[in-house]
Amino acid sequence: MCPSCAGHHKAQPVEDTTELGWTPGVPEPEDPLRWGDKFPKGAAENLRNTQLRRNLRYATHKIRDKRNDRVAEMPDWEELRDAASAIKHQTMSNLPELLEEMERNVQARGGIVHWARDAKEANEIIHQILVEKQVDEVVKVKSMVTQEIGMNKYLADRGIKAWETDLAEMIVQLSEDMPSHIVVPAIHRNRAEIRAIFANRMDDAPADLSTDPRTLAMAARAHLRKKFLSAKVAISGSNMMIAESGTLTVFESEGNGRMCLTLPETLISVVGIEKMVPTFKDAEVFAQLLPRSATGERMNPYTTFWTGVTEGDGPQEFHLVLLDNGRSKALADEIGREALHCIRCGACMNVCPVYEHVGGHAYGSVYPGPIGAILTPQLTDSMDRHDPNSALPFASSLCGACYEACPVKIDIPTNLVRLRQRVTDANRGGIPDMWDVAMAATSPVMASGKAFDAAGRAAKLGRIVAGKKQRIGALPYPASMWTGARDIPAPPAQNFRQWWKKHEEEK
Amino acid sequence: MKIALFATCIGDAQFPQAPQATVHLLERLGHEVVFPQSQACCGQMHVNTGYFKEALPIIENHVRTFEPVLDGEWDAIVVPSGSCTGSIRHQQKLVADDAGRTELGKKAQAIAGKTYELSELLVDVLGLEDVGAYFPHRVTYHPTCHSMRVAKVGDKPYRLLQNVEGIDFVPLPEEKSCCGFGGTFAMKNSGTSTAMLADKMTNIASTKAEILCAGDYSCLMHIGGGLSRIRAGIRVMHLAEILAGTKDEPWVSPSTNTTLGV
Ligand code: SF4
């Protein structure tokens, strides 16, 4: 900005934001669980965005390293993971009873419980409450589940503005974008981009806005403070519900959550039915695993627990909206049930090399990365090849880093493979694609030593393609998917078993 | 010991130097190696691509071929691939059970219990960390995801390499990140795979190594193909190839020095 204006005017808006090198945002889609192209196409687009790749690499490596340090100092990390996994197994086996227990306890403490079968029902319930309260704006704590149901858009279409108060969510909202990570929603942006977004879109952005993180955070703080003080209703998600006491929790870093959960008169919490633990004691295990896995902190700065309403303290009206949206169907399924163990820490995303290169938007769902690749197709029931979400189980090299990092020990790679099988089986009988043909043709060859030997000898033909340099550099489609960037060495003059025969004779 | 070799499909057809070096090494160490002729593939490619039905006959063949190990005909089965070892240990039973073939799954699991990746066989079963190898070159090592996280071979390959005489071993930065191969992933998501490969190659080049070593020829085919494309002048080699030779008797696989059209 012009130095002579410093301190006098608000920051100069930069007209054409695309010139700054940041991608235009992904507009809020009709279906937050299914938008955009099939994964390889979405990935290709993001791979071209070198700024995005730099941002992602920087951020994921930073969180990854911090997480590793915090995990390394825990002598009982593996035992904690086992405990968490066991608690989740137990919870899923008794989920209906635990939910009823939760409902009873919330009601006993003066709360109101609603059940929502799907996104539409949840949005209607929330909207109804807001109409009764006669408000046209609400403040929000960062909440994945309200992203999942597209609540902001639903309310906006009905004249109600939902203000995101989490810093990263606010950045995403101001840039009319979608989050690209479940813990770090603006992970795809760097400081310069954030400064540009604030300068352009925040009505009270200070004049001397720099790219210094502290300055940016202070600007956001001043901006948000006004919202907190005027809002009558707040909307939150919850990291965990505790059945035995009817308690909800939010684990957060910035204190915006604490503001939303304590200042407004009415609080509406929208929570997926799987976010449950049976007892307070169980919560202790997750309180150790979650912050370390999510942000590499020993403990997150703010942890809020609330149970119903308390006279003269905090919101005087409390609504709990329990959301199904495909979860009970997932619960009835072996893979889906394990996916529901997820505590949304994002650790699997931070270590995933695929995510690191393509970013969250490539997955076309609010749940990206490794867990998204199993959860999203489950929630949307996407096994048909024409459904873009059917490509998600294939969006992994199966390197296993996600399984290693997951604090609740979800075996993501195995579940990806099993989902691939479901996609394959669901599409049998139609016109076979390239893979159907290749897999069917190679199966008998690979199931017999004789057939395999014969095929191996025939492969010698490849030597002629390879030419003198013994390197195959360019082949037509579909082999071009390989030779686009990699040579294939020419097949050997003699396969192993031919050599073995000679070797045996020579002995 | 009498050791049955599972050469792996890619080792048999495309990269015989890995099983050849494995045979040479084990025989040099005084063991008897047998090669059951009916073997072909462990089924991993079909399983990982989602074709369980097509994988089943492949797994049946593998189990049939290596069943004699259960009757004590061989002491162990060796596999010069962490990835195939992992598939034998975790996928064969999964697919058999999924098809309702409990007996087959049990057998597969029992055979898996006698199956060792090369470095595991050397260190855990034969009790060796120094196999008397000589290899005077600058070498870096990529642990490959399936060796590391599925077969869980741990630091055994490093211990073996560090005991090689004359070797100039350089650690690979970000060694644990995936090279982007992932079987059919490399084709189905070739853009992402290539981007991951580029990072891996940058790290490899930074070591100034002459040779990139790994325990899986599948990943080596991918990385080697990339290195060849950019004319990096870095060769890929299987762990077995480095361990096979001695000072007195250097090992050169016939399959690495063949001429066209033989
Ligand atoms: S799958 Fe595991 S690592 Fe990934 S977000 Fe869920 S709990 Fe965290």
Side-chain angles (χ1 to χ4, degrees), chain B residues 47-95:
Chain B
V47 178
N48 280 353
T49 316
Y51 290 78
F52 282 25
K53 199 180 127 216
E54 286 77 1
L56 196 63
I58 303 174
I59 292 166
E60 280 173 332
N61 180 63
H62 186 90
V63 168
R64 219 182 298 123
T65 302
F66 288 99
E67 226 181 323
V69 77
L70 301 177
D71 303 328
E73 192 163 330
W74 314 307
D75 299 303
I77 300 164
V78 68
V79 190
S81 157
S83 174
C84 304
T85 306
S87 172
I88 290 163
R89 285 186 192 154
H90 298 289
Q91 296 189 328
Q92 295 197 338
K93 187 176 184 318
L94 176 81
V95 173

Side-chain angles (χ1 to χ4, degrees), chain A residues 101-164:
Chain A
E101 191 183 345
M102 180 76 197
E103 180 182 38
R104 275 196 308 277
N105 287 326
V106 170
Q107 285 167 344
R109 297 292 302 268
I112 302 157
V113 179
H114 310 260
W115 299 82
R117 252 174 301 219
D118 53 21
K120 188 167 159 281
E121 272 191 19
N123 282 324
E124 282 166 4
I125 294 165
I126 299 159
H127 182 236
Q128 191 53 43
I129 300 167
L130 298 179
V131 168
E132 274 165 29
K133 298 286 154 206
Q134 297 182 328
V135 293
D136 57 7
E137 60 175 21
V138 292
V139 283
K140 272 187 72 185
V141 198
K142 177 186 169 297
S143 146
M144 281 314 297
V145 83
T146 57
Q147 291 283 359
E148 174 188 329
I149 61 175
M151 187 194 77
N152 288 9
K153 188 167 189 298
Y154 184 95
L155 295 181
D157 291 348
R158 284 154 188 81
I160 300 172
K161 180 82 189 172
W163 297 106
E164 297 289 353

Side-chain angles (χ1 to χ4, degrees), chain A residues 35-101:
Chain A
W35 84 72
D37 289 314
K38 276 199 176 174
F39 181 82
K41 236 176 138 191
E45 205 165 292
N46 285 351
L47 281 165
R48 275 196 292 276
N49 187 340
T50 50
Q51 181 62 60
L52 174 88
R53 279 171 64 178
R54 252 172 58 129
N55 296 352
L56 284 168
R57 186 183 157 81
Y58 175 79
T60 53
H61 282 243
K62 209 164 172 170
I63 313 176
R64 205 186 281 188
D65 292 346
K66 260 178 83 184
R67 180 248 171 222
N68 290 345
D69 290 347
R70 289 293 158 258
V71 165
E73 65 189 23
M74 296 288 283
D76 56 348
W77 184 254
E78 289 309 315
E79 286 82 359
L80 275 170
R81 286 177 81 206
D82 286 334
S85 174
I87 293 167
K88 280 296 177 187
H89 272 287
Q90 190 204 347
T91 305
M92 293 307 147
S93 322
N94 301 300
L95 194 57
E97 294 78 16
L98 288 169
L99 283 164
E100 281 167 15
E101 191 183 345

